[in-house]
Amino acid sequence: MMKNKDKLQALYVHIPFCSKICTYCDFYKMVAKPKNKIQYVDYLVKEIDLKKSLFNDISTVYIGGGTPSSLPHESLDKLLSTLWENLDFKKVTEFTIEANPNDINKEFIYLIKKHHINRVSLGVQSFNTQKLKFLGRNHTAEDAINAIKLLQNSGIKNINADIIYATPEDSFKVVKKDLKYLTKLKIPHISAYSLILEDKTVLHYRYDKKLFTMLDEDREFVIYKKLNRFLHNKGYHQYEISNYSKPNMESKHNLVYWNNNHYLGIGAGASYYIDNVRYTNIMNLEKYYRGIDEENLQLLEKKQLTFLEQMQEEMILGLRKVSGVSISHFKKKFNKDIYSVFPIIRDLINQQLLVNINDNIYIPKSKLYLSNTILVHFV
């Protein structure tokens, strides 16, 4: 099996099952029968055994999907028990599971608390009935509110809520209602994503059929600006393009990605980054199972990054953060001067698309919405 020279501090586990496929989602996922989910977890356990030597320094765990909360409770119990057999409980400071609001019940909460999961990421998306229908969500606003209150009353306060804005005909008036619900419920972390039309999704098919039009970019920007101002006034700080948190409630796990550190992945379709090699497990269950049985994991991708690519990713990922990229850290990590590697930085500073203050180079908040056009200069 693969070995690593660096400490791996983050573990991602992919669950590719959903009760219903959302119209906008392009992640590797499927609707499956309980027996197929049980079989999948059995193979996750086997993959964990193959990679257990890499678990020693894991401090954050993230179970994502798909919808991890759609697993049968017995299978989820088995997965979590196996993880803890291989993790050092003293080192794990953040353990997140993604869940749909209508999967949150007393049995689910008992199970995750039993296994010391201390953070839940809820796919709320909106409290607006029309928007939920457009997005293909099968929960109601009441379901989301009840789920949040159930979690909080059980002692799980570290909750992230995903919301989506810039759907057709969207307005800040609608988004503000969503934000008011979340802030009133004292949600400490909010991930706000503008709707993106991804290939091979139901929405893309409907768009091609001219069944709807995307929101005008100017209107989207107005929502983005007002959303930022509203959350700032409520005591949230934006620490990444789409992520807002109360003080000290940032996602430690996601910061591993944005800091361009190495991490481990488990499951079909899971990505991971070890010794400057990016891996993605095969997105086919039969091939995934066969590879595990043969102790030869089947990969969709295995890419050894060149030295230049490593530095490019440091910039592309780091500039997603509001704090940006540390010049001294870049020098220490790569033994290169950031300006000599990327002279374009000076031009971007002159255009006021980047700022260099003290040790950090970052995109000013007023220009974060232009991040894609800025980051393309580092490819």
Side-chain angles (χ1 to χ4, degrees):
M1 281 306 297
M2 61 193 69
K3 297 178 181 179
N4 74 298
K5 298 185 289 292
D6 298 324
K7 290 182 178 181
L8 298 175
Q9 295 180 305
L11 168 66
Y12 174 75
V13 182
H14 190 70
I15 308 296
F17 305 118
C18 294
S19 302
K20 181 185 178 185
I21 303 301
C22 298
T23 59
Y24 56 90
C25 180
D26 72 334
F27 291 121
Y28 177 55
K29 79 284 178 192
M30 66 197 79
V31 175
K33 296 176 181 177
K35 67 175 184 179
N36 300 116
K37 297 178 182 180
I38 291 167
Q39 181 185 25
Y40 180 76
V41 169
D42 288 342
Y43 274 89
L44 281 181
V45 167
K46 293 179 182 180
E47 189 182 0
I48 288 168
D49 189 58
L50 290 174
K51 293 179 174 175
K52 61 186 178 183
S53 64
L54 303 176
F55 276 54
N56 296 336
D57 298 295
I58 297 293
S59 61
T60 72
V61 183
Y62 194 106
I63 303 179
T67 313
S69 58
S70 71
L71 285 177
H73 287 179
E74 297 80 7
S75 294
L76 182 57
D77 188 39
K78 180 177 182 177
L79 170 61
L80 295 173
S81 295
T82 305
L83 285 171
W84 280 119
E85 285 167 11
N86 294 279
L87 291 165
D88 184 342
F89 178 75
K90 294 174 185 173
K91 290 181 181 175
V92 177
T93 58
E94 182 184 272
F95 197 138
T96 304
I97 189 167
E98 290 182 347
N100 274 351
N102 44 3
D103 290 330
I104 303 294
N105 53 42
K106 289 181 180 178
E107 293 74 24
F108 177 77
I109 292 172
Y110 170 80
L111 180 58
I112 63 174
K113 285 192 71 178
K114 169 187 166 186
H115 291 290
H116 310 289
I117 289 178
N118 56 16
R119 186 174 185 270
V120 174
S121 182
L122 273 183
V124 174
Q125 313 313 352
S126 182
F127 294 91
N128 179 279
T129 303
Q130 285 72 35
K131 193 184 280 192
L132 288 171
K133 184 178 179 182
F134 175 79
L135 296 171
R137 304 295 291 172
N138 59 355
H139 69 267
T140 64
E142 188 180 19
D143 290 334
I145 293 166
N146 289 340
I148 290 166
K149 288 181 176 177
L150 263 177
L151 287 165
Q152 290 174 331
N153 290 339
S154 72
I156 298 177
K157 312 278 190 194
N158 193 356
I159 300 169
N160 168 64
D162 286 346
I163 66 164
I164 291 177
Y165 66 94
T167 52
E169 308 305 319
D170 205 358
S171 67
F172 182 65
K173 185 177 179 181
V174 173
V175 175
K176 187 178 181 180
K177 283 185 179 179
D178 289 342
L179 298 175
K180 278 186 171 180
Y181 273 118
L182 296 177
T183 54
K184 193 172 182 180
L185 287 162
K186 295 183 167 52
I187 296 292
H189 191 287
I190 296 171
S191 299
Y193 302 104
S194 63
L195 180 68
I196 296 174
L197 205 57
E198 302 284 6
D199 290 339
K200 299 177 182 176
T201 60
V202 174
L203 274 191
H204 204 291
Y205 172 81
R206 291 179 184 170
Y207 179 79
D208 287 343
K209 294 286 183 182
K210 296 184 167 47
L211 297 177
F212 71 93
T213 55
M214 292 292 284
L215 190 73
D216 176 80
E217 286 184 3
D218 290 337
R219 288 172 65 188
E220 177 183 329
F221 178 52
V222 168
I223 295 173
Y224 171 78
K225 279 198 302 184
K226 291 183 175 180
L227 178 154
N228 273 313
R229 192 180 308 132
F230 179 90
L231 289 176
H232 175 77
N233 290 338
K234 294 292 184 179
Y236 293 80
H237 78 104
Q238 183 183 18
Y239 70 100
E240 191 268 348
I241 292 171
S242 304
N243 285 273
Y244 308 78
S245 82
K246 291 287 189 169
N248 303 314
M249 298 302 286
E250 301 87 351
S251 168
K252 295 177 184 177
H253 183 87
N254 287 338
L255 281 167
V256 170
Y257 303 149
W258 300 321
N259 288 328
N260 197 26
N261 294 328
H262 292 158
Y263 56 93
L264 182 60
I266 301 286
S271 294
Y272 38 112
Y273 184 38
I274 301 175
D275 287 342
N276 303 317
V277 180
R278 292 210 175 272
Y279 301 86
T280 302
N281 282 349
I282 195 82
M283 294 183 185
N284 176 294
L285 291 188
E286 293 307 314
K287 291 179 180 178
Y288 170 69
Y289 296 156
R290 187 164 64 246
I292 289 175
D293 284 335
E294 295 170 357
E295 297 190 11
N296 180 26
L297 289 175
Q298 299 298 298
L299 300 171
L300 180 70
E301 178 189 44
K302 180 180 179 182
K303 178 176 173 55
Q304 172 75 57
L305 298 189
T306 65
F307 190 56
L308 176 59
E309 286 171 335
Q310 293 168 41
M311 292 187 288
Q312 289 172 327
E313 291 207 350
E314 187 82 9
M315 300 303 296
I316 291 167
L317 292 166
L319 287 173
R320 290 184 61 89
K321 298 179 297 176
V322 169
S323 62
V325 177
S326 161
I327 296 170
S328 59
H329 178 75
F330 187 95
K331 173 75 172 177
K332 183 177 179 182
K333 187 171 183 177
F334 300 108
N335 197 28
K336 291 281 186 179
D337 173 67
I338 199 167
Y339 282 98
S340 63
V341 179
F342 300 111
I344 187 67
I345 291 173
R346 288 190 174 87
D347 293 336
L348 294 171
I349 289 173
N350 289 335
Q351 296 171 51
Q352 298 183 328
L353 296 173
L354 287 180
V355 173
N356 178 5
I357 294 182
N358 297 328
D359 185 49
N360 283 48
I361 293 171
Y362 58 91
I363 301 172
K365 277 193 179 182
S366 62
K367 300 292 170 56
L368 269 175
Y369 73 99
L370 293 171
S371 59
N372 287 343
T373 58
I374 297 169
L375 298 179
V376 75
H377 290 285
F378 296 94
V379 175

